[in-house]
Amino acid sequence: GLMHELQNWIAELTGLPGVCLTPAAGAHGELAGIMTIKRAHDLNGQVNRKIILVPDSAHGTNPATAVRCGYETRTIDRKGTGRVGVDAFKDALTKTSDNGADIAGMMVTNPNTCGLFETDIMPIVNMLHAAGGYFYCDGANFNALVGKIRPGDFGVDVMHLNLHKTF
């Protein structure tokens, strides 16, 4: 009844195909999300994907969660703009000679911890997806987006929401 209806509402608001209500907090949702990404790569035989890209503005739990799930992190430098730029993302993505084949995904908060919407997110996500990585969106600031834009529409693959802050 009620919980199923809540899942449907959240799916509609996020534009994502599935919703899980069991994670109890933001960090718990991150853990479940990154574990999901890891499992997807493992099932696809992509065990070489060992790196999660994380902006230098990320919540501290983002790199901690990635490391807890067995990943290394690589920082995306914002270079004083407050946002992740296409060039900075490209540098982080292709830092090794394999053009991103070692990248499992990216964790970005949108709007970010500076309160800014990541305006270059579409070309960044397109490059990430082309390299085979998944976009994890930290939904701690979803309250700024709810009813205006759906994260699934800007390429989010996995996301947690802090419902106590959103609604």
Side-chain angles (χ1 to χ4, degrees):
L2 178 64
M3 300 310 275
H4 181 73
E5 193 169 338
L6 176 60
Q7 285 178 300
N8 288 334
W9 290 340
I10 293 171
E12 179 63 31
L13 290 169
T14 61
L16 297 173
V19 174
C20 176
L21 297 176
T22 54
H28 187 207
E30 282 180 28
L31 182 64
I34 297 302
M35 288 173 74
T36 299
I37 288 171
K38 184 165 183 40
R39 184 69 176 145
H41 284 306
D42 289 350
L43 288 172
N44 290 323
Q46 298 287 311
V47 295
N48 59 309
R49 296 186 179 275
K50 302 286 185 192
I51 297 171
I52 297 285
L53 302 175
V54 183
D56 58 7
S57 62
H59 292 153
T61 55
N62 289 177
T65 296
V67 169
R68 175 66 181 97
C69 289
Y71 288 111
E72 299 170 37
T73 61
R74 183 177 299 157
T75 302
I76 306 169
D77 185 6
R78 292 175 302 123
K79 298 196 188 295
T81 65
R83 294 181 172 97
V84 176
V86 172
D87 291 338
F89 175 79
K90 196 179 298 184
D91 285 347
L93 180 68
T94 60
K95 199 169 198 171
T96 56
S97 60
D98 58 8
N99 276 333
D102 57 347
I103 303 300
M106 169 181 72
M107 296 179 85
V108 171
T109 305
N110 199 14
N112 66 30
T113 55
C114 301
L116 303 172
F117 186 78
E118 295 289 352
T119 53
D120 290 333
I121 202 68
M122 290 304 300
I124 288 169
V125 172
N126 289 339
M127 285 187 282
L128 176 68
H129 285 160
Y134 291 105
F135 177 16
Y136 175 87
C137 187
D138 183 318
N141 299 334
F142 184 59
N143 57 326
L145 302 180
V146 70
K148 296 177 185 159
I149 187 169
R150 299 178 332 157
D153 294 342
F154 59 82
V156 171
D157 297 302
V158 180
M159 178 179 194
H160 85 269
L161 301 177
N162 294 15
L163 295 182
H164 66 285
K165 289 169 45 175
T166 301
F167 301 107

